Amino acid sequence: GAEALSLALESHPNSINRLILSNNKISDAGACSIADSIILNSKSKIQHLELDNNPGIKNRGATTLAQIVSKGSVSFLSLRSCNIKAEGVKAFGECLKTLSKRENPPVDTINIDLSGNPLGVLKKKKESLKTKASAKTASYMNYIGKQIKSGLKDVGVHNVLGTNSLESDDDEEELMGEDAEELSDEPVRCGAKALASTIVLSEKESHENSIATKPSNKIKCKLGMRHCFFDHEAADALSATIIHANTHYGVDLVIDAELNHVWEDDMIRAVKGSDEYKLEIMAERYIEAMEAIRASEERIASVSAAITARSQRSQQSDTDDDSIHNLDAHDNFDEDYGYDDNFQYDDDY
């Protein structure tokens, strides 16, 4: 279906400027076809593209769709509740860098919404249907019992239904409230850190880049990352991304990260641009962690190189010893079997 639609878009490039294809079971292949039809058609007028709730759209589709943003073809792209992970998010980091390097960017404001994708290292706690049903049933029964007890008390009847009811309406809210999140059992790459890896520079790179000419055109980007199962380290990574995007690439980046339930309110405000002090603290924490990792990797590489060199020297020494041993054995052979140094047989032997 998406492939057929892309053909129609190529045939009628001026027909629409807003395309909404949410909840249509579009796959990576379909998303790539739509993106290609927009990229390859210079007359395309589509500026607004929504592909929400299409779980078949994964990293490959997201990477191709990021290209239509980097080329300025689309300024509003929504991919909420798909199945995009770290590599897909990384493509949007490259997209922002590409836009920032253009002398005359085709757009000055872009909106990208990746909310609801599994970008973090946390996962939603799963409850069985039976557990959920039992909890809801208990809640309703306790609430009804509470109301009946109140009515009976008014007419002078006490303790007919016992005391097993909720203490307050707050208890009901807690029971019926939002699902918690926990660390995933499987190794997962964090999408926030993948995004940061494309934008955040090391201290050395930052110094070198500070000497270079800064982009003269500011690009504003609003990035939606609501309910993406982020932990606190993701908040630090996104903070550093925001600061470096602005400092080194001229991108005014704000991130909507509501509904990442382990985040404190000040973290959410910081990445949204409302708490600069908190943003700098989190960014500095991420930079320090990355520098420590880089230093550790350099030490490991140095030790590994030393071990390799030592192993090579040892192998060379063993080879030399074998050569000497073989020469001695050859001399002994000559002596044992009657040959002289000129390989002539000695008749007296």
Side-chain angles (χ1 to χ4, degrees):
E3 288 85 351
L5 177 61
S6 65
L7 292 174
L9 292 173
E10 291 176 11
S11 302
H12 303 84
N14 297 317
S15 56
I16 56 175
N17 57 19
R18 182 184 178 97
L19 183 60
I20 300 175
L21 295 172
S22 302
N23 302 292
N24 273 286
K25 299 182 180 179
I26 295 172
S27 65
D28 267 345
C32 291
S33 294
I34 293 170
D36 288 341
S37 69
I38 296 173
I39 292 171
L40 298 175
N41 195 331
S42 59
K43 296 181 180 179
S44 174
K45 299 296 183 182
I46 296 176
Q47 288 288 313
H48 182 114
L49 178 59
E50 293 184 31
L51 294 167
D52 301 336
N53 199 26
N54 286 297
I57 299 178
K58 302 178 183 178
N59 290 336
R60 184 166 71 91
T63 300
T64 307
L65 289 166
Q67 294 178 21
I68 65 177
V69 180
S70 64
K71 292 182 180 297
S73 304
V74 170
S75 58
F76 184 101
L77 176 63
S78 184
L79 293 167
R80 292 183 297 172
S81 300
C82 293
N83 199 16
I84 301 165
K85 297 182 181 178
E87 285 304 313
V89 179
K90 189 175 180 179
F92 288 100
E94 296 293 345
C95 154
L96 294 179
K97 287 168 63 175
T98 300
L99 272 174
S100 72
K101 292 175 182 177
R102 299 179 67 169
E103 288 187 10
N104 296 300
V107 293
D108 57 8
T109 302
I110 57 176
N111 286 272
I112 303 168
D113 198 346
L114 302 175
S115 300
N117 283 282
L119 306 179
V121 298
L122 302 178
K123 67 177 182 178
K124 186 176 180 180
K125 285 186 178 180
K126 295 181 178 179
E127 295 179 291
S128 66
L129 292 175
K130 181 178 179 181
T131 302
K132 290 183 178 180
S134 299
K136 288 189 176 183
T137 300
S139 173
Y140 292 140
M141 291 302 295
N142 285 336
Y143 180 75
I144 292 170
K146 185 177 176 183
Q147 299 303 312
I148 293 175
K149 282 182 66 178
S150 177
L152 291 175
K153 185 177 180 180
D154 291 340
V155 294
V157 180
H158 302 276
N159 297 327
V160 173
L161 297 175
T163 60
N164 188 25
S165 63
L166 296 177
E167 295 296 325
S168 69
D169 292 340
D170 291 337
D171 293 330
E172 293 175 33
E173 291 176 5
E174 182 178 351
L175 182 61
M176 305 292 287
E178 297 170 331
D179 292 323
E181 296 170 352
E182 60 184 3
L183 280 171
S184 175
D185 297 328
E186 302 176 358
V188 178
R189 188 181 180 196
C190 177
K193 293 180 180 179
L195 178 65
S197 71
T198 66
I199 302 291
V200 179
L201 306 178
S202 67
E203 290 183 356
K204 180 180 178 182
E205 292 169 331
S206 295
H207 176 70
E208 292 173 351
N209 197 69
S210 65
I211 301 173
T213 304
K214 297 293 186 300
S216 57
N217 299 307
K218 277 278 187 180
I219 298 172
K220 294 182 179 180
C221 177
K222 180 179 179 181
L223 180 59
M225 289 185 152
R226 299 161 64 92
H227 201 246
C228 287
F229 307 97
F230 286 141
D231 61 356
H232 285 190
E233 290 183 9
D236 294 347
L238 292 178
S239 298
T241 301
I242 291 169
I243 290 177
H244 279 237
N246 190 7
T247 304
H248 302 298
Y249 299 104
V251 177
D252 184 7
L253 176 64
V254 295
I255 299 175
D256 182 2
E258 296 275 357
L259 302 179
N260 287 291
H261 299 309
V262 302
W263 284 26
E264 283 84 16
D265 290 341
D266 58 350
M267 294 179 173
I268 295 171
R269 288 195 303 270
V271 298
K272 197 179 268 189
S274 301
D275 192 339
E276 186 174 345
Y277 177 70
K278 180 66 175 179
L279 185 75
E280 290 176 353
I281 290 175
M282 293 193 295
E284 184 177 350
R285 189 161 55 209
Y286 178 77
I287 296 298
E288 288 176 353
M290 290 303 100
E291 291 299 326
I293 290 173
R294 288 190 183 97
S296 177
E297 289 174 345
E298 289 175 359
R299 287 196 297 271
I300 291 171
S302 176
V303 170
S304 177
I307 292 173
T308 301
R310 185 182 303 170
S311 176
Q312 291 173 345
R313 288 196 299 270
S314 177
Q315 290 175 0
Q316 184 62 42
S317 176
D318 291 342
T319 302
D320 294 342
D321 290 343
D322 290 341
S323 299
I324 294 171
H325 175 73
N326 292 335
L327 182 59
D328 292 342
H330 186 273
D331 292 342
N332 292 336
F333 176 87
D334 294 341
E335 294 172 2
D336 291 344
Y337 291 94
Y339 287 91
D340 60 17
D341 293 338
N342 295 319
F343 295 96
Q344 299 296 320
Y345 188 75
D346 186 353
D347 293 334
D348 297 333
Y349 176 71

